[in-house]
Amino acid sequence: MFDKQGLDRQMKLASHQPGRLSRWRAAFMAATVLSATGFALAGGAVAGEIKDQPRFKHSRDYSSLKDWNLKAENIVPHGANPLYYPIVPGHKHVHERPDHPDGKYRKETVVLDSTEDFDITGIGKFKTAVVQEEEYLDGVLTQRALNWFALDKTTNSVYAFGEVSWEIEEGKPVFAGTWRAGELDGDMIAEPGLLMPGTFTVGGRYLFDGGRVNSGGSENMEAGIEMTVPAGTFKNCVRVREQGLRELHDITDKIWCPVVGVVSDTSDGKLIVTNALPKDNPASDVSSVGTLRDKPLKYTPPVAKISGDQATKIALAEVPGKATSVTIERKKGKNVYVVEIQTPKDGEKDVFVDIESGKIVGTD
């Protein structure tokens, strides 16, 4: 059972931040001392690569708790959904994204041998599974989250009831944020989210995250897909689009396949291994899960050798216009100033200026 009192004490020292996405940059930059720059440091999530315009902008465009008829007697912590990975203790799988703009990204998921108790008005008392997610960049652990998932045994739909997450700073966890269905979240009571319905229907829409900050909706886009990833070739897959409702352009496409769940994610990468596959399949070997966790942290805080003003002048020489923002982030494997420029003809452009050499290392 999670130590809620301890969490409450930590919450007084930390603000609620979005979950289920990479938040490592905020922690990375929090330890950095940059003198004489005078600019704010960037944090937040690394979104997927979907550039489409948001299709739906309001929570009312999606089904939610009022539509799902959730009852405690039907909610079980462990089980299987036709398109989800097995929510059973000991299940493990890994996604990797070598082309992540901030380094080689890896996410390890493990269903722990423990449960979390809930008592929600209108639903009742029930237990959820505890699913751990750990994120790594270039082999270093950057974030850990515990998610609370469960299934409705009458429909096989999978639901999310909250999470708690920590940034890893200098090898130590630092509380980052939480949301919990049935409890006050800002000016509202957080509700469960639907992760995958038991019956997949193209065009179906549902809220996947019920926290105030985390709120987002899923849309079932297509079915009958065949997908090849490092873990193998999978058939009869579906595509689901997830879209933030506070950050409307935070859009991610996921390909879900029978037995194994997500095999491709525009944000998290592709499925590498999963022990949901038969033991004679090489991609079922999950012995690498957890081996990076205790890797010594090799980290030297970046030190800016040029100022934000200098970086802005360099960027404007490359892309004429009006500079509207200057932040420090990690892009293309380097620590850079991201100079946002409003151009006369091409709209907003980002110019990446190396904080040490002053060289332009890319644009977006």
Side-chain angles (χ1 to χ4, degrees):
M1 182 70 177
F2 181 71
D3 179 6
K4 185 176 183 300
Q5 289 184 341
L7 173 61
D8 290 340
R9 289 194 296 270
Q10 294 180 78
M11 287 184 68
K12 295 178 181 179
L13 303 175
S15 60
H16 187 142
Q17 298 182 17
R20 302 185 64 210
L21 297 168
S22 301
R23 290 181 295 262
W24 75 278
R25 286 186 299 187
F28 183 83
M29 292 304 175
T32 306
V33 178
L34 297 170
S35 60
T37 62
F39 294 93
L41 300 179
V46 178
E49 301 300 324
I50 304 301
K51 303 298 184 182
D52 296 353
Q53 291 299 310
R55 291 163 57 83
F56 302 96
K57 300 181 179 181
H58 306 285
S59 60
R60 62 177 178 270
D61 295 325
Y62 301 86
S63 71
S64 60
L65 176 62
K66 68 181 185 303
D67 306 301
W68 299 334
N69 193 33
L70 284 176
K71 299 296 181 184
E73 59 266 26
N74 298 327
I75 299 174
V76 294
H78 302 126
N81 169 286
L83 290 165
Y84 215 79
Y85 62 82
I87 304 181
V88 296
H91 171 80
K92 300 178 182 180
H93 67 256
V94 178
H95 290 86
E96 287 189 352
R97 183 182 170 188
D99 67 341
H100 192 286
D102 304 315
K104 183 178 180 180
Y105 174 84
R106 176 181 173 101
K107 182 165 77 172
E108 299 182 353
T109 301
V110 179
V111 181
L112 302 181
D113 187 16
S114 58
T115 58
E116 179 74 9
D117 292 332
F118 278 80
D119 185 356
I120 299 178
T121 301
I123 298 178
K125 296 181 179 181
F126 58 94
K127 295 180 181 293
T128 68
V130 180
V131 179
Q132 175 180 279
E133 293 179 349
E134 292 185 328
E135 299 182 19
Y136 298 80
L137 272 172
D138 294 329
V140 176
L141 178 63
T142 58
Q143 179 179 326
R144 178 181 294 120
L146 297 180
N147 300 275
W148 302 309
F149 297 162
L151 293 87
D152 184 328
K153 64 183 181 182
T154 65
T155 63
N156 284 331
S157 297
V158 182
Y159 293 91
F161 290 90
E163 73 156 320
V164 59
S165 61
W166 299 265
E167 302 287 357
I168 309 301
E169 296 183 13
E170 299 182 354
K172 298 179 181 179
V174 177
F175 175 74
T178 188
W179 72 275
R180 186 180 177 94
E183 296 191 358
L184 190 64
D185 183 10
D187 56 359
M188 60 174 276
I189 300 295
E191 294 187 352
L194 174 57
L195 298 179
M196 178 60 71
T199 301
F200 185 91
T201 303
V202 173
R205 299 193 303 274
Y206 40 92
L207 293 179
F208 69 81
D209 211 330
R212 179 179 61 86
V213 174
N214 303 339
S215 182
S218 293
E219 180 183 4
N220 296 340
M221 303 294 286
E222 59 180 319
I225 299 171
E226 180 174 313
M227 189 73 182
T228 298
V229 297
T233 297
F234 301 89
K235 297 180 179 180
N236 300 317
C237 305
V238 302
R239 178 166 65 96
V240 177
R241 174 159 293 183
E242 293 185 353
Q243 177 193 300
L245 291 177
R246 290 177 64 87
E247 299 292 337
L248 294 177
H249 290 277
D250 181 4
I251 300 173
T252 301
D253 270 7
K254 296 182 177 182
I255 306 296
W256 298 79
C257 300
V259 180
V260 296
V262 173
V263 301
S264 180
D265 182 316
T266 54
S267 181
D268 292 346
K270 296 180 179 179
L271 185 68
I272 304 299
V273 295
T274 171
N275 59 3
L277 293 171
K279 291 183 178 180
D280 60 355
N281 188 323
S284 69
D285 182 1
V286 293
S287 59
S288 65
V289 174
T291 58
L292 295 175
R293 187 177 304 129
D294 298 323
K295 180 179 178 180
L297 186 66
K298 296 179 180 179
Y299 166 68
T300 301
V303 177
K305 295 183 179 179
I306 66 170
S307 69
D309 285 338
Q310 291 172 315
T312 301
K313 291 178 181 179
I314 294 168
L316 289 172
E318 177 74 12
V319 178
K322 180 181 179 180
T324 57
S325 174
V326 182
T327 59
I328 291 179
E329 302 182 29
R330 190 165 177 82
K331 296 286 186 181
K332 301 183 182 299
K334 296 181 179 293
N335 302 309
V336 300
Y337 286 102
V338 178
V339 184
E340 292 185 2
I341 299 174
Q342 190 65 39
T343 67
K345 296 182 179 180
D346 299 324
E348 186 180 279
K349 295 287 186 180
D350 290 345
V351 180
F352 309 144
V353 181
D354 190 294
I355 68 172
E356 294 187 21
S357 69
K359 293 181 179 180
I360 294 175
V361 299
T363 59
D364 185 9

